[in-house]
Amino acid sequence: MNEQNAEITLEVGEQEFTFNLTPADVTKYFNALTQTNKVAPGHNLLMTTVQQEQKATLKPLLGNPVMVMQIAGALLEEYAPNVEVIVKKRSSTLSA
């Protein structure tokens, strides 16, 4: 896989699940998030990226919305690149 595509294995309890993430998957997830809709995009991300043969085992775990958010959060954290971002302080002078 190239740098942007990632195969990520998460251990949930005593089970392992392997997810295949692409930039399109992550973009679709973020674009679906709204102020009143956070769990469904996470559920969809997990179910569409988990290996086909693991879907039936994963699905019952996703009945708990907190579990959905924890697993999706761990998956996205692992997918994220390791980039150091530093915010520089603004100048105290105003430009006219």
Side-chain angles (χ1 to χ4, degrees):
M1 291 190 181
N2 68 35
E3 272 186 49
Q4 294 182 348
N5 295 342
E7 182 176 283
I8 299 169
T9 301
L10 299 179
E11 190 173 308
V12 181
E14 305 219 354
Q15 300 171 323
E16 285 189 357
F17 297 97
T18 301
F19 301 87
N20 296 299
L21 277 149
T22 67
D25 295 321
V26 177
T27 298
K28 185 176 180 180
Y29 166 76
F30 283 123
N31 287 343
L33 288 175
T34 67
Q35 193 167 1
T36 58
N37 187 28
K38 294 181 180 48
V39 177
H43 182 278
N44 293 341
L45 175 70
L46 296 172
M47 289 303 293
T48 59
T49 60
V50 72
Q51 289 185 346
Q52 184 67 32
E53 63 273 8
Q54 297 174 332
K55 284 185 180 194
T57 307
L58 177 63
K59 190 170 183 170
L61 298 177
L62 303 183
N64 181 322
V66 176
M67 180 76 86
V68 171
M69 298 309 291
Q70 286 181 323
I71 297 171
L75 184 62
L76 291 168
E77 188 173 327
E78 185 60 31
Y79 180 78
N82 292 323
V83 176
E84 184 175 339
V85 177
I86 299 171
V87 177
K88 299 284 187 170
K89 294 204 181 246
R90 294 184 194 184
S91 171
S92 60
T93 61
L94 298 175
S95 58

